[in-house]
Structure formats: C-alpha cells, structure tokens
Amino acid sequence: MYKKKSKKPIYIAAAAVILLVALLVIVQSGLSRQIGQKKTMETETESEKTAETETDVPSHNILLYKSSSGTIEFDAGWLVSDNDSDSVLQVEENILVTMLITPSEGKALESVDVLDYDMQTVSSVVRSVSGTEDASGQMRLSFVMPDRDIFINFNFIDVASETITQTEAAETEETAPYGLTLHGVTNEVMSSYNGALDEQKFLQAIGDALQIDSEESEYRMVTDVYFGDSVDAGDSDTPKVCYYIYFNGYETWRVLSTYYVAEDSWVFTNVTGETEAETEAVDANIIISGTSETDAVISVDSGAGTSTGTGSSDTGISTSSTYSSEGTTTTTTSFDILSVSTVFLSYVGDENAFYQAAFEYILGKGYTGSITGTMSSYEISPENQTATIRIMLSTGGTITGTYNKSANTYSFSGL
C-alpha cells in the first residue's frame, strides 16, 4: 500500500535557510555601516590634521635686555622666561609688537637697537606717547615680528647731559654778540626773569649800551660777563629786575643792570667801588644812581660855541675862549666835566648838545675862569623818558640837570 510522505521537514529546512540568509544580510549590512563610519571618522581626522597644519604659525624669540634707567611694558602673554638681566619673549611671525618705555627720573631714551643674530637691523619706529619730542617721557616702540629670533637693547642718557650738549651745540652755531661769554645764569636768575631771559639779546643790549666795540670805550677789553647779586627794586608799579653785572671776573668792575619787563629793555648804570648805588633804592621812576671815575672827560670851548667829548679817563681837556672888545678887559673861561657816564651819553644821544647846554648855564650864572665839574650821579627813567644828573663844581657849588628825551631839551638848576 502506497504511503504518502510528510512535507513538514522540507518546510522547516526552507525556513531555516531563509532565516540564515536574512541573518547574513543583517550582519553584512551592519559591517558595512561600521566600515563606513570608520572611514568617515578617518576622513574627518585627516581633515582636522590638515587644517591644523595649515594654521600653525611659527613663533620666534625676543631677547629683551633690561636697564635700571627705565622700565619696559609688553603683552604678558609673550613672556617665556625672566631674570634680573633680561627677559625672553615668544611672538608669532608678522605680529605687530608694541612696547611702552618709561625712562627713570633724570633719564631720557636716546635710542633703541632691534637686531637679529646676524646683527641685521630690524625696521622699527619709536615715538613719544604724548606726541612731543621730550624723550624723558613715555615712548612707544613698534615693529613687525620677523621670521627669526631677535634681541632688543634700550639706550638711555642723563637729561642734564643731553641739555648741556644741546646748549653747547647752540652756542657753537650762534656767535655771541660782541664775542661776549655770559656766566652765572642760575635757576634763581631765570626765575626772576620768569624764564624769559634771552641771553643773546641781553649780551647785545649790554654791548650796545657800553659801546664795547669802540676803541674809546672803557669796556672795550670786556670778554666775560657775570651775573652777580640781585638788587631789591623797591616798591613799584613798574615791574623790573635788577642785578649787578661784573666784567672779566673783577669784583670792583661792575654795572647795575635794570630790566624793564613791560618794555623788554635794559638800562645799565655804572657802579665803581662803594657808591651811592649801595644805599639808594630803586623806585618806580628811578634807576639807582651810578658814579664812575673812569668815564669820558668832557671839555667845552666857550668861545667857539661848541663842545667836544673825549674817551680819555685820566685827564680833562681844557679849552678857553677870550672875549675882548675895544676898551674892555679880556676874559677867559674854560669848563671841564669829568666822570661823565658813557651810559648817560648813550641815552641822550647828542653829546655836543649836552656839553653846550651845561656850559651855557655856567656862563649864564656869571662864572669865569677855569672851572671843573664832576658828574657825581645820574638817574635814568625810561618810563618818564628823562635823565637827571648832578655835577659838583670845583667852585664848591652843585648843579642839577634834567634831560627830557621826548622834547630833546635840557634844564638846569642850582648855584
């Protein structure tokens, strides 16, 4: 009898095959996914490495030598090492490097050396932070970091030494008036002039007033001018500055310098030895009286109606005139004026007019014979444009004269 076989084992085997195939497909798919992820990660890593390589900029060292004459400030992030003598910084190429330099008190920055180790100069700029040329203030150093190691050295100088050097250079370039050399310009002197003392102008003024370049001037041998003690100008509404000025280092050879601030001008008064200038104060209109035994000698010729002046400081020159007419007695009159200040003569300008005016006053008072006068003092007032003199006569009398500069006239009194 034919028996029908069961198909169940066949179905089970087919199902197992199908399941196995499905598992293989799943496993293969998972492996492919993992491999793909790994490749992606590797690609990303390579990209990151490439990017890092492309952005990695090399850095180089700066050896910074320190100085006790100033302090140097820079970006703290650059500092690699530091000791008492130097600092080492590390900066990337092509970065703008800026440093702030502050000199110590009494010091100024003279120069900055930025060099590589082949002693080649690296281009740099040093400027004042305040925008002035005062190198004793804060300065800023700027340069672009090169592609090599470098070192920097800061050079400082004493401010006083720099000032002296500049002053000496200026004196060399500009010749002093009359070849004079000025000494004793201290801080006190500059302060009394409110810092406005022009040394060249002062020397020009004293040379002009004393006629130093004249062969007849008693000051023609002056080469050195010294500021001495200040003189109290007294109570006055007119600002003035008074100093004794000495010549060639001699304590007894001096004049009184009076500077009128408003007019920016000087008047120089002769002072020899112990004179009235030691005791008379300067008021609003008067410069301390001066006397001199070595000034020009004046001689007047009454007959010719003219007067002459000489630069001689030793003797007077007497000239005489004779008045005579039929039946009258001949009368001879001579008049010498000694110790006339060259400063006074410079102020009045026309010497002959002064001599003639004084002589005519003497004649008008009826004096005859040989008369000698000595100028004992003079006072000059630029504000009032007047000059006052005193002349002591050999006869025992004294005359006082006043010169009015604006009117160019003389008036006398006395006797």
Side-chain angles (χ1 to χ4, degrees):
M1 179 178 173
Y2 174 75
K3 187 179 179 179
K4 189 178 180 178
K5 288 186 177 181
S6 175
K7 295 182 179 180
K8 185 175 181 179
I10 296 173
Y11 294 146
I12 293 173
V17 170
I18 292 171
L19 180 61
L20 180 60
V21 171
L23 289 173
L24 290 173
V25 170
I26 292 172
V27 170
Q28 184 177 7
S29 176
L31 290 173
S32 298
R33 190 180 297 110
Q34 288 180 357
I35 292 171
Q37 289 177 349
K38 183 176 180 180
K39 288 183 177 180
T40 300
M41 291 178 63
E42 289 177 351
T43 302
E44 290 177 353
T45 302
E46 290 295 329
S47 298
E48 289 175 358
K49 288 182 178 180
T50 301
E52 289 178 359
T53 302
E54 291 176 352
T55 58
D56 186 15
V57 179
S59 299
H60 301 280
N61 290 342
I62 300 175
L63 178 60
L64 197 68
Y65 289 106
K66 294 183 178 180
S67 171
S68 60
S69 298
T71 58
I72 315 299
E73 299 176 48
F74 49 81
D75 189 332
W78 297 336
L79 185 64
V80 175
S81 64
D82 184 62
N83 56 49
D84 293 338
S85 61
D86 56 62
S87 300
V88 177
L89 316 181
Q90 195 169 73
V91 182
E92 294 179 352
E93 288 181 16
N94 298 319
I95 291 294
L96 178 63
V97 178
T98 300
M99 298 182 182
L100 188 64
I101 309 158
T102 305
S104 303
E105 184 176 356
K107 300 289 183 178
L109 181 66
E110 183 181 30
S111 61
V112 179
D113 300 319
V114 184
L115 303 168
D116 62 18
Y117 286 90
D118 291 327
M119 302 308 292
Q120 298 298 312
T121 300
V122 175
S123 178
S124 61
V125 176
V126 180
R127 289 192 177 94
S128 170
V129 173
S130 64
T132 67
E133 296 182 0
D134 183 8
S136 61
Q138 284 190 324
M139 308 292 286
R140 180 177 287 108
L141 168 67
S142 303
F143 63 92
V144 176
M145 186 65 195
D147 58 354
R148 55 197 181 278
D149 293 344
I150 61 173
F151 64 91
I152 303 177
N153 189 42
F154 299 91
N155 305 303
F156 296 89
I157 189 174
D158 292 336
V159 174
S161 298
E162 184 180 32
T163 302
I164 290 172
T165 301
Q166 293 174 351
T167 301
E168 290 175 347
E171 289 176 350
T172 301
E173 293 174 1
E174 186 174 5
T175 303
Y178 295 93
L180 299 174
T181 302
L182 185 60
H183 306 271
V185 183
T186 62
N187 290 335
E188 179 184 351
V189 172
M190 292 300 296
S191 177
S192 65
Y193 279 86
N194 293 323
L197 174 62
D198 186 329
E199 297 182 17
Q200 298 292 311
K201 188 174 181 179
F202 172 78
L203 291 176
Q204 185 69 48
I206 199 169
D208 292 346
L210 304 181
Q211 302 176 8
I212 287 178
D213 60 348
S214 172
E215 289 297 325
E216 296 183 350
S217 173
E218 63 186 284
Y219 301 97
R220 63 186 179 277
M221 302 302 293
V222 172
T223 57
D224 293 85
V225 179
Y226 295 79
F227 265 93
D229 297 331
S230 62
V231 178
D232 184 8
D235 296 329
S236 171
D237 295 332
T238 304
K240 58 174 73 76
V241 181
C242 300
Y243 273 91
Y244 284 123
I245 304 298
Y246 296 87
F247 302 114
N248 292 1
Y250 293 103
E251 294 184 0
T252 57
W253 196 11
R254 62 180 181 173
V255 295
L256 177 69
S257 164
T258 303
Y259 174 68
Y260 289 85
V261 178
E263 286 121 6
D264 188 26
S265 63
W266 284 269
V267 171
F268 301 94
T269 307
N270 285 348
V271 180
T272 302
E274 297 296 326
T275 70
E276 295 179 22
E278 302 287 8
T279 56
E280 293 184 10
V282 179
D283 63 24
N285 295 318
I286 299 177
I287 295 176
I288 295 177
S289 300
T291 64
S292 172
E293 297 176 357
T294 58
D295 283 344
V297 176
I298 303 167
S299 179
V300 179
D301 185 337
S302 64
T306 61
S307 58
T308 59
T310 98
S312 169
S313 61
D314 300 322
T315 61
I317 299 176
S318 298
T319 59
S320 61
S321 63
T322 300
Y323 290 91
S324 63
S325 62
E326 191 174 341
T328 62
T329 304
T330 299
T331 302
T332 300
T333 303
S334 67
F335 182 38
D336 296 335
I337 305 178
L338 307 177
S339 300
V340 179
S341 169
T342 55
V343 176
F344 170 77
L345 293 178
S346 177
Y347 182 75
V348 301
D350 189 345
E351 300 178 17
N352 289 338
F354 164 66
Y355 306 151
Q356 188 64 32
F359 180 65
E360 288 176 355
Y361 182 76
I362 293 297
L363 289 181
K365 290 297 182 178
Y367 281 80
T368 59
S370 179
I371 305 168
T372 301
T374 302
M375 182 181 286
S376 59
S377 65
Y378 63 94
E379 301 168 348
I380 300 175
S381 173
E383 296 96 331
N384 295 332
Q385 293 193 350
T386 58
T388 304
I389 59 171
R390 293 182 64 203
I391 300 175
M392 299 176 62
L393 303 180
S394 56
T395 58
T398 300
I399 62 174
T400 300
T402 300
Y403 171 67
N404 187 319
K405 193 174 184 66
S406 60
N408 194 26
T409 58
Y410 291 89
S411 60
F412 292 90
S413 62
L415 304 179

